[in-house]
Amino acid sequence: MANFQQPIIIKKVKKHKHAHHGGAWKIAYADFVTAMMAFFLLMWLINMTTAEQKQGLADYFSPPSISTATSGAGGVMGGIAMVNDGAAMSGSAADITAREPASPDNATTGEADLDSGGQAQENGSERQASSDSEFDLKSRDAQDFHSAAASIRQAWQSMPELTPFIDNLMVEETEDGLDIQIVDQQGRRMFPEGSKYPVEVTRAAVAAMAPVLQKLNAQMTVSGHTAAGTRYENPRYGAWELSADRANVVRSILGEFGLSDDRIKAVTGRATDEPFFPNDPYMAANERVRITVLKTPPPVPVGLAP
């Protein structure tokens, strides 16, 4: 007979879930992907810029305090001597010459030549004074052009409407003076397509430059440039006419806001000649207006009245 009093044992097995590991690895992975994207974007930007643009960016973030192609001392130079080849040196002995009395080959030893000097010595002093004056003048000109470039950048940066277009405006110091360019970018045009009249932002940027350029004792050229591949509806109005008209309109805006006509040396249209990117003449950045400020005084001296 079966034993119905035997206890029934039920064994329950509890399954334990794995512990929650958290999402820290996702954050680390996202940071890694972001860093790689930024790295490849930086490499692409470096590859797309030219040597002139890189130099301009370097000068913008660390502008030189003195010119490397001038000579002079005192005041602005802060005691730093500039040798004739343009390199700044402190305590340089390259220009120091031995000061020994000059004497003819047949002069007797120990007797001073009292007849030496005279007119020749005076002429030498005048030439030395003229050379020193020229060096000081070049030093002042370099400082004036450097200050003008900084003033133009500051004027642009103080205008909120120019903030999205700040990459379209370039100022670079050169040996001849200043190189100012108003360049089209993809999606940000400074002139409407096919029009000689600039957009309002371009007009504001040109107007801000005029008072600064007027203070410089210099002349300048204005040239217009277009990109290759542009089609024109009017067969009698093409790249040459458009580039020349844009340059002339920029000149008129400068004159409207304070630049006198004697500061303009030439206004030219270059069409597709001298592209900003020679390797790709179809790029939008080749569409630009260039203002070259030369270290050449105007034909009429400043302040001269008829």
Side-chain angles (χ1 to χ4, degrees):
M1 184 175 180
N3 186 7
F4 294 100
Q5 300 299 325
Q6 184 176 359
I8 300 174
I9 301 173
I10 300 175
K11 186 177 181 181
K12 295 182 179 180
V13 179
K14 295 182 178 181
K15 297 181 178 180
H16 298 281
K17 296 181 179 180
H18 296 288
H20 183 64
H21 296 290
W25 69 273
K26 298 178 182 179
I27 299 176
Y29 180 72
D31 292 341
F32 172 74
V33 173
T34 304
M36 292 299 296
M37 181 178 65
F39 172 76
F40 286 112
L41 180 61
L42 177 62
M43 293 295 101
W44 178 77
L45 290 175
I46 292 176
N47 186 48
M48 290 297 293
T49 54
T50 63
E52 294 180 354
Q53 291 176 312
K54 293 176 182 177
Q55 183 63 36
L57 290 173
D59 292 341
Y60 175 77
F61 288 104
S62 59
S65 59
I66 56 176
S67 173
T68 58
T70 59
S71 301
V76 179
M77 307 305 293
I80 299 178
M82 301 294 290
V83 296
N84 294 337
D85 56 1
M89 302 181 66
S90 179
S92 172
D95 293 337
I96 299 176
T97 57
R99 297 185 178 180
E100 298 178 355
S103 61
D105 296 337
N106 57 355
T108 58
T109 305
E111 294 182 359
D113 188 0
L114 300 178
D115 295 333
S116 62
Q119 186 66 29
Q121 183 177 359
E122 293 177 0
N123 293 338
S125 301
E126 291 177 358
R127 285 194 298 269
Q128 181 65 28
S130 176
S131 178
D132 293 342
S133 176
E134 182 180 356
F135 290 159
D136 292 340
L137 181 60
K138 290 182 179 180
S139 176
R140 287 195 299 270
D141 287 344
Q143 183 64 25
D144 290 342
F145 277 78
H146 175 69
S147 300
S151 299
I152 292 174
R153 295 190 187 102
Q154 185 177 3
W156 286 343
Q157 292 172 357
S158 63
M159 304 171 68
E161 64 271 24
L162 293 183
T163 301
F165 298 87
I166 203 66
D167 291 337
N168 298 57
L169 307 171
M170 303 178 184
V171 180
E172 182 182 359
E173 297 179 55
T174 64
E175 293 182 358
D176 297 329
L178 293 179
D179 190 16
I180 306 171
Q181 301 202 60
I182 303 173
V183 184
D184 277 3
Q185 299 287 352
Q186 192 68 32
R188 296 194 304 272
R189 299 184 64 91
M190 306 305 284
F191 285 82
E193 185 175 1
S195 174
K196 66 179 181 179
Y197 297 105
V199 298
E200 191 60 31
V201 172
T202 307
R203 179 179 175 85
V206 175
M209 291 188 295
V212 180
L213 296 178
Q214 177 64 23
K215 294 180 181 179
L216 288 176
N217 186 30
Q219 289 186 290
M220 59 202 70
T221 63
V222 185
S223 60
H225 303 260
T226 59
T230 304
R231 295 183 178 181
Y232 301 91
E233 297 180 358
N234 187 352
R236 297 183 179 180
Y237 191 89
W240 290 103
E241 291 78 11
L242 179 61
S243 59
D245 286 345
R246 287 180 174 178
N248 198 37
V249 168
V250 169
R251 177 207 58 79
S252 65
I253 296 175
L254 289 172
E256 180 182 351
F257 287 90
L259 186 68
S260 56
D261 291 339
D262 62 339
R263 304 302 174 91
I264 303 297
K265 186 176 182 180
V267 178
T268 58
R270 304 304 300 270
T272 57
D273 189 28
E274 296 184 2
F276 193 76
F277 290 100
N279 295 333
D280 191 354
Y282 298 95
M283 288 189 66
N286 295 315
E287 201 99 3
R288 70 195 193 279
V289 172
R290 182 177 184 179
I291 303 172
T292 305
V293 186
L294 305 171
K295 294 179 180 178
T296 304
V300 179
V302 178
L304 181 63

